[in-house]
Every structure is written in structure tokens, then in C-alpha cells.
Amino acid sequence: MDLLPVLPDQDFRKVLCVVAHPDDVEYGTSSAVAKWTSQGVEVAYLLLTRGEAGMPNPPEETARIRRAEQEAACAQVGVTSLEMLEHPDGVLQPSLDLRRDIARAIRRFRPDVVVTGSWEVEFV
């Protein structure tokens, strides 16, 4: 099995984590985020949806619950910047609007590193 190389975290001061749903960062990345913020790295989260399709509650209620859960998770790892876009959950597509919104967040935050997830990487 090939291992991913270690990210040289002494070389950056700002990180933007871009994921589709609330709690996606918590699967495999939040421990690194906690380490980075404890070292003074500024970390921001950009969530592409509000996660409103993932529960049996009405979508607006689910979105409020998921936001509150994500805010609590951010507080635990030292993230103070959380942006949740309103692209529809469950039908997210690679569109010009989506790419525009991601590019705007990158231009606004100006990160040294952008972290995303991949289902091609297995955590062991």
C-alpha cells in the first residue's frame, strides 16, 4: 500500500478545508486541523451544502441542526471561520456556479493550502 506523503505543515499559515457536507472534515482531517490550529495556523471551513438531505426532519430543521453540530465541531478544533454555501444537498454537481463559489472563497481567504477529501484514499 502506498502512503500519502506527510504535508510539510511548517511551510504554511492558512488552510482552507473544502468539503461537501457538515461533518465531512471530521472524517480523517479534524485531528490535523486541531494540530494546525494549536500551532497558530488559521484554518477555515467551506462547506458546499447545509447537509439538509441527510436526516428525516424537514430540510430547514435539518440544516439548522447540522450547522449547530458543525459549529460545535469547529470550536473543538479551533476553527473560527465557517462558511456554508446553499448548494442543494443530495444532488451536488460539478457546475460553473459551484466552481465560482469555491474560487470566490479561495480568493477571499487566500490560503496557502486547500484541503479536500477523496474517496480514493483509505484511512487505516
Side-chain angles (χ1 to χ4, degrees):
M1 170 182 16
D2 293 336
L3 297 178
L4 292 173
V6 174
L7 189 62
D9 59 8
Q10 70 279 2
D11 295 341
F12 55 83
R13 303 305 315 147
K14 292 179 81 170
V15 175
L16 178 63
C17 296
V18 180
V19 296
H21 314 98
D23 80 18
D24 284 356
V25 177
E26 283 66 47
Y27 290 98
T29 307
S30 62
S31 58
V33 168
K35 177 184 174 206
W36 294 332
T37 59
S38 74
Q39 295 172 334
V41 175
E42 183 180 358
V43 179
Y45 285 1
L46 175 65
L47 283 60
L48 306 180
T49 72
R50 299 176 305 149
E52 71 276 10
M55 299 169 88
N57 308 7
E60 287 304 314
E61 180 183 344
T62 298
R64 281 192 302 277
I65 292 168
R66 303 284 311 267
R67 178 162 190 104
E69 291 172 345
Q70 188 62 64
E71 288 172 349
C74 286
Q76 289 294 310
V77 296
V79 171
T80 58
S81 177
L82 168 63
E83 181 178 1
M84 293 177 80
L85 301 179
E86 296 192 8
H87 291 275
D89 187 20
V91 293
L92 192 61
Q93 295 292 318
S95 66
L96 288 175
D97 287 341
L98 181 63
R99 292 193 310 242
R100 178 203 63 219
D101 291 345
I102 295 169
R104 282 181 179 162
I106 291 170
R107 287 185 188 114
R108 190 171 45 254
F109 188 66
R110 304 184 61 81
D112 301 309
V113 174
V114 175
V115 174
T116 63
S118 170
W119 295 112
E120 295 173 5
V121 176
E122 292 184 33
F123 298 96
V124 289

XYZ file of all heavy atoms in Angstrom, residues 85 87 93-104 107:
129
model
N -22.240 27.072 2.136
C -22.957 27.504 0.949
C -24.319 26.822 0.911
O -24.595 25.922 1.705
C -22.147 27.160 -0.298
C -20.739 27.781 -0.359
C -20.028 27.347 -1.637
C -20.803 29.293 -0.259
N -25.733 25.225 -1.837
C -25.960 24.322 -2.959
C -26.785 23.159 -2.428
O -26.621 22.737 -1.285
C -24.630 23.850 -3.549
C -23.895 24.951 -4.240
N -24.140 25.298 -5.547
C -22.949 25.813 -3.797
C -23.366 26.311 -5.889
N -22.633 26.650 -4.833
N -23.591 18.867 -7.972
C -22.980 18.569 -9.271
C -21.820 19.527 -9.528
O -21.852 20.675 -9.089
C -24.013 18.741 -10.399
C -25.154 17.767 -10.345
C -24.704 16.348 -10.636
O -23.902 16.106 -11.527
N -25.214 15.403 -9.866
N -20.805 19.073 -10.264
C -19.705 19.980 -10.622
C -20.180 20.975 -11.688
O -20.203 20.672 -12.875
C -18.630 19.033 -11.166
C -19.385 17.838 -11.636
C -20.594 17.723 -10.759
N -20.593 22.134 -11.241
C -21.162 23.146 -12.132
C -20.319 24.407 -12.117
O -19.454 24.590 -11.255
C -22.588 23.480 -11.690
O -22.548 24.119 -10.417
N -20.608 25.299 -13.052
C -19.921 26.593 -13.062
C -20.224 27.381 -11.792
O -19.333 28.025 -11.236
C -20.327 27.397 -14.298
C -19.775 26.904 -15.622
C -20.347 27.722 -16.778
C -18.251 26.971 -15.637
N -21.471 27.339 -11.327
C -21.830 28.056 -10.093
C -21.044 27.535 -8.898
O -20.552 28.317 -8.080
C -23.321 27.929 -9.799
C -24.178 28.763 -10.739
O -23.660 29.700 -11.363
O -25.391 28.466 -10.832
N -20.914 26.221 -8.802
C -20.161 25.631 -7.698
C -18.692 26.036 -7.773
O -18.103 26.465 -6.774
C -20.300 24.112 -7.718
C -19.571 23.360 -6.607
C -20.121 23.734 -5.243
C -19.665 21.864 -6.843
N -18.100 25.914 -8.936
C -16.682 26.301 -9.091
C -16.487 27.782 -8.807
O -15.501 28.173 -8.175
C -16.199 25.938 -10.487
C -16.117 24.440 -10.686
C -15.362 24.040 -11.922
N -15.778 24.713 -13.130
C -16.292 24.114 -14.194
N -16.462 22.811 -14.202
N -16.621 24.811 -15.253
N -17.436 28.620 -9.235
C -17.351 30.059 -8.958
C -17.345 30.316 -7.456
O -16.534 31.086 -6.939
C -18.542 30.777 -9.610
C -18.560 32.286 -9.325
C -19.935 32.890 -9.463
N -20.809 32.283 -8.481
C -22.078 31.959 -8.704
N -22.639 32.174 -9.868
N -22.806 31.414 -7.741
N -18.234 29.646 -6.721
C -18.327 29.862 -5.277
C -17.066 29.393 -4.549
O -16.613 30.034 -3.601
C -19.559 29.163 -4.723
C -20.860 29.827 -5.175
O -20.809 30.973 -5.676
O -21.920 29.187 -5.028
N -16.505 28.270 -4.980
C -15.256 27.787 -4.383
C -14.124 28.761 -4.689
O -13.342 29.127 -3.801
C -14.922 26.367 -4.870
C -15.975 25.373 -4.379
C -13.523 25.957 -4.400
C -15.887 24.000 -5.024
N -14.034 29.211 -5.946
C -12.978 30.158 -6.329
C -13.096 31.460 -5.542
O -12.085 32.020 -5.095
C -13.036 30.432 -7.831
N -14.314 31.937 -5.339
C -14.512 33.167 -4.548
C -14.006 32.986 -3.120
O -13.365 33.879 -2.564
C -15.985 33.557 -4.525
C -16.436 34.216 -5.791
C -17.884 34.608 -5.693
N -18.296 35.268 -6.914
C -19.543 35.424 -7.293
N -20.530 34.980 -6.533
N -19.826 36.034 -8.427
N -10.212 33.018 -3.156
C -9.696 34.388 -3.354
C -9.876 35.237 -2.104
O -9.024 36.060 -1.769
C -10.402 35.042 -4.543
C -9.968 34.481 -5.866
C -10.605 35.241 -7.027
N -10.325 34.568 -8.266
C -11.240 33.987 -9.032
N -12.516 34.021 -8.698
N -10.899 33.397 -10.152
